[in-house]
Amino acid sequence: MTAMTAVQKLYEVCKASFSCVQGVSAPEAVARVRAVLDDIKCSDLGLQEDNCQRNGRSTDQPPESAAPAITYLHLYECNKFSMGIFCLPQSAALPLHNHPGMTVLSKLIYGSMHVKSYDWVDPSDHTASSTPRLAMPVKDHVLVAPCDTAVLYPTSGGNIHSFTAVTSCAVLDVLAPPYNTTAGRPCVYYRLAAATSPEATDSAEAHPVHLQEFRPSSEFVVHRGNYRGPKVVPSI
């Protein structure tokens, strides 16, 4: 009998652990998925360190932009969860973005990246999108592979986060449930608002900051690459 691949094992545990209802996933469900993610390596995904971009490059990739382009390799998605790999060349960045009503597990596969994250001071505040909202810093550190899987929740753990590649790196993301605009889970980008005080960004202590929605410039590009590792075989 052929042994189950790590990717298939991840799919099976996600399918058994997550529901399609947005909200905080049960701790035992998160722990099961996290245990599988912690053991996943480059070779399990058919990737080579520092070669993720080339391995997954799409044949119709647009011309190079001024900013380093990011490649996304799609593994699987259903109404319960999604699995995918973000490949970031050195200095590439995913701007601050949210994960509304979602639990997210991120496993740094190789390389190093700077993670900065925030949670809303008042998650129930749904003011106009043009109005800055108070957020509290949660993380501001560099991850170096190999490291444990990071987890964020709908209102805690750093739901609004950014990734900046210190070196070329790749991160495997599991989103439960996935983004879905019609279901109230759009991906929204943020930046520090002008109302943020200097003390909030210069001090070593955690101070609330003001975050405001914005549309990234045209230089921010995420290409859809071709995942060439072991495939997910959906089960009934």
Side-chain angles (χ1 to χ4, degrees):
M1 180 180 294
T2 303
M4 183 181 294
T5 66
V7 169
Q8 187 67 28
K9 184 177 180 181
L10 178 61
Y11 160 80
E12 297 292 351
V13 73
C14 286
K15 180 185 176 185
S17 302
F18 293 131
S19 74
C20 58
V21 179
Q22 62 186 60
V24 180
S25 298
E28 58 271 22
V30 173
R32 287 193 296 268
V33 176
R34 187 175 190 174
V36 175
L37 277 169
D38 280 341
D39 289 337
I40 289 184
K41 305 177 294 296
C42 274
S43 57
D44 295 322
L45 302 169
L47 301 177
Q48 297 178 21
E49 289 195 21
D50 301 322
N51 200 25
C52 184
Q53 297 284 109
R54 191 155 54 249
N55 286 347
R57 189 170 296 281
S58 172
T59 55
D60 59 351
Q61 180 144 322
E64 294 295 331
S65 62
I70 297 168
T71 299
Y72 177 73
L73 308 179
H74 180 71
L75 274 67
Y76 178 79
E77 182 173 329
C78 64
N79 63 345
K80 291 183 177 182
F81 63 94
S82 65
M83 300 159 48
I85 306 166
F86 285 95
C87 302
L88 289 78
Q90 186 175 11
S91 78
L94 276 171
L96 281 173
H97 58 283
N98 68 343
H99 306 82
M102 301 154 65
T103 297
V104 179
L105 295 92
S106 299
K107 167 66 175 179
L108 184 64
I109 301 299
Y110 73 82
S112 58
M113 69 179 185
H114 178 230
V115 179
K116 197 163 190 175
S117 65
Y118 303 85
D119 284 323
W120 295 123
V121 171
D122 181 4
S124 64
D125 177 15
H126 299 291
T127 54
S129 59
S130 59
T131 304
R133 290 177 59 186
L134 273 178
M136 182 63 71
V138 176
K139 296 177 182 177
D140 187 356
H141 60 193
V142 173
L143 293 176
V144 180
C147 57
D148 294 337
T149 300
V151 185
L152 61 84
Y153 300 93
T155 60
S156 64
N159 185 275
I160 305 164
H161 69 193
S162 65
F163 294 158
T164 302
V166 178
T167 68
S168 176
C169 62
V171 58
L172 171 57
D173 267 358
V174 173
L175 280 58
Y179 286 112
N180 186 323
T181 301
T182 59
R185 298 190 302 274
C187 181
V188 179
Y189 292 95
Y190 296 89
R191 63 185 173 191
L192 289 175
T196 298
S197 65
E199 291 81 5
T201 55
D202 295 340
S203 173
E205 299 180 8
H207 291 274
V209 301
H210 285 88
L211 298 181
Q212 187 170 27
E213 292 185 22
F214 88 112
R215 184 186 298 275
S217 73
S218 59
E219 291 186 354
F220 171 60
V221 179
V222 178
H223 298 309
R224 183 68 172 262
N226 298 319
Y227 173 65
R228 297 168 183 164
K231 304 298 182 184
V232 170
V233 181
S235 56
I236 300 175

